[in-house]
Amino acid sequence: MSRDAPKFIVFQDLIGGTYWWRLRSATSETLDASELGYAEKRTCEQEVQRLKASHYPDADVLDLTTSRYDQM
């Protein structure tokens, strides 16, 4: 990941189970965020990829929904 590039962060709401994304600058300022939660992770990821392709091609994507425990 580039240190200067904005970063999409995909995460899951632990209470509702919905997926969300947030776009952060290199200085951790929130530049944009999903307005609604997504029931499916795939749909959230598709929206991130759409925005990345159209507005933020240099942005990295960090998926916080996976952990090392998922692979056990």
Side-chain angles (χ1 to χ4, degrees), residues 17-63:
T18 55
Y19 296 90
W20 301 78
W21 60 264
R22 181 177 297 128
L23 180 65
R24 290 274 174 96
S25 71
T27 59
S28 297
E29 294 177 69
T30 299
L31 303 174
D32 203 354
S34 54
E35 293 181 17
L36 299 172
Y38 299 86
E40 296 180 2
K41 180 179 176 183
R42 178 178 51 90
T43 308
C44 183
E45 291 171 326
Q46 288 171 341
E47 181 65 9
V48 167
Q49 291 304 318
R50 184 188 70 77
L51 289 167
K52 182 174 165 56
S54 64
H55 298 298
Y56 307 102
D58 296 332
D60 295 317
V61 179
L62 176 61
D63 185 348

